[in-house]
Amino acid sequence: MLEPDDTVAVALSGGKDSAALLRILWKLERRFPPARLVALTVDEGISGYRSEAVSISRDMCDELGIKHTVVSFEELFGVTMDDVARRRNELQPCSYCGVLRRKALNEGARRLGATKLATAHNLDDEVQTALLNMMHGDVERISRPSSILRKTKARFIPRIKPLAEVPERETTLYAYACGTRFQTIPCPHGHDALRGDIRVMLNRLDLKHPGIRHTIYRSIERLSEAMGSTGKPRAFRACSICGEPTPNDTCEACIMLRTFKLDPSAARVVSAHTR
Ligand code: SF4
Ligand code: ZN
């Protein structure tokens, strides 16, 4: 996942998983003098929730001496997540948030000169997402590599998920053991009922059959390899509106912004400044 001279941007949400990841990478980075560690927080614009997370993230970085940058949905897209949640149609708020946040992270990582973007997805997140994709019939997503997304286009910062095989219980324990402060209140928009049911089901299964999440994760990896060897590699091109890499003519984020009657070209202006 990492090269000795990487500049790694950690996606720092202020929650327990990213707090644990930042601490782990901070310890590792000190052993590799050419490497650099920076942190990036996305402010989605969620009242009563995100401002606390931003301030916790700032304090964490000050304590560890890590450069920290915040990018916001409002600055990049001219809309907050609270607006999106009010104006959304059939999709859950998290579906919009995920797409816009991926784009914001890529943009922020570029501003920081990062060569890798590290996200704190843990084993539970990965298995839940894979099962969700299956239940939504989105089998194509399962064929994409999971813990490392390599560079496919000049503007895409390769993503790594160093905690992808670590159960959530262990990242939580690590964060408590470090004595780090992290955000504990949940996001007011995070009500994905199906993901919640999958989480409960997996927790129950794991009590009776310890290690089952790892077994499912391995199966997904093998499935992904098998599908990758038969499927055509995805060709990426620049989004016709914002220039971000996308397999289609227009990226998902620009399509979403259009549904809110927002001008997605605003995102292009921001990107042009940071190229
Ligand atoms: Fe965004 Fe959903 Fe996470 Fe809230 S719970 S920050 S809406 S992805
Ligand atoms: Zn776009």
Side-chain angles (χ1 to χ4, degrees):
M1 287 187 184
L2 294 164
E3 303 294 328
D5 58 352
D6 265 333
T7 294
V8 182
V10 176
L12 185 63
S13 68
K16 59 188 172 24
D17 297 317
S18 62
L21 178 63
L22 188 76
R23 294 253 169 192
I24 293 165
L25 291 180
W26 176 71
K27 284 188 182 168
L28 283 176
E29 183 240 3
R30 288 184 295 171
R31 288 198 242 145
F32 296 91
R36 248 182 95 223
L37 188 64
V38 290
L40 170 62
T41 300
V42 176
D43 180 354
E44 298 93 347
I46 302 172
S47 47
Y49 172 69
R50 205 28 116 199
S51 53
E52 187 197 13
V54 169
S55 117
I56 290 174
S57 302
R58 252 192 211 123
D59 292 349
M60 227 181 267
C61 291
D62 283 350
E63 184 200 332
L64 301 177
I66 294 171
K67 182 177 173 179
H68 179 232
T69 293
V70 180
V71 288
S72 73
F73 278 12
E74 194 154 29
E75 169 213 353
L76 294 175
F77 311 124
V79 69
T80 65
M81 218 15 242
D82 287 339
D83 294 332
V84 170
R86 265 193 300 273
R87 294 158 65 182
R88 72 191 170 92
N89 39 37
E90 76 278 10
L91 294 178
Q92 295 287 333
C94 296
S95 304
Y96 295 98
C97 190
V99 168
L100 296 179
R101 195 175 42 216
R102 268 197 295 282
K103 183 164 170 154
L105 283 172
N106 207 38
E107 177 67 41
R110 262 200 311 266
R111 288 182 186 183
L112 286 164
T115 54
K116 299 273 164 63
L117 171 63
T119 64
H121 295 92
N122 59 42
L123 178 67
D124 298 54
D125 297 328
E126 292 299 289
V127 173
Q128 287 163 17
T129 301
L131 294 180
L132 256 180
N133 287 336
M134 276 188 204
M135 289 176 190
H136 283 143
D138 195 350
V139 181
E140 203 254 346
R141 274 184 200 268
I142 297 165
S143 68
R144 295 184 201 163
S146 179
S147 56
I148 311 177
L149 281 185
R150 297 185 196 287
K151 200 171 179 81
T152 48
K153 267 276 173 196
R155 290 170 57 72
F156 184 74
I157 310 297
R159 297 202 181 168
I160 55 171
K161 299 179 186 173
L163 305 181
E165 296 184 42
V166 183
E168 185 171 13
R169 271 197 302 245
E170 293 182 24
T171 59
T172 309
L173 182 62
Y174 188 89
Y176 275 115
C178 289
T180 188
R181 188 175 151 232
F182 54 83
Q183 191 175 37
T184 49
I185 55 164
C187 170
H189 303 308
H191 306 297
D192 187 336
L194 186 52
R195 185 180 280 272
D197 289 344
I198 293 172
R199 178 183 292 123
V200 171
M201 177 190 79
L202 285 170
N203 287 344
R204 281 203 188 128
L205 279 174
D206 199 63
L207 276 178
K208 274 189 153 179
H209 311 280
I212 200 158
R213 277 175 287 214
H214 283 98
T215 316
I216 299 173
Y217 184 84
R218 291 276 164 264
S219 303
I220 294 159
E221 276 191 328
R222 291 175 65 187
L223 199 59
S224 166
E225 278 165 24
M227 290 171 72
S229 63
T230 52
K232 274 197 265 166
R234 289 169 19 119
F236 281 79
R237 62 178 94 168
C239 167
S240 58
I241 296 173
C242 70
E244 289 288 313
T246 170
N248 307 310
D249 178 60
T250 308
C251 75
E252 271 183 290
C254 286
I255 293 171
M256 280 184 174
L257 292 172
R258 267 194 194 149
T259 63
F260 293 114
K261 308 219 177 345
L262 287 161
D263 177 13
S265 62
R268 178 163 56 182
V269 174
V270 174
S271 300
H273 285 312
T274 54
R275 243 170 238 172

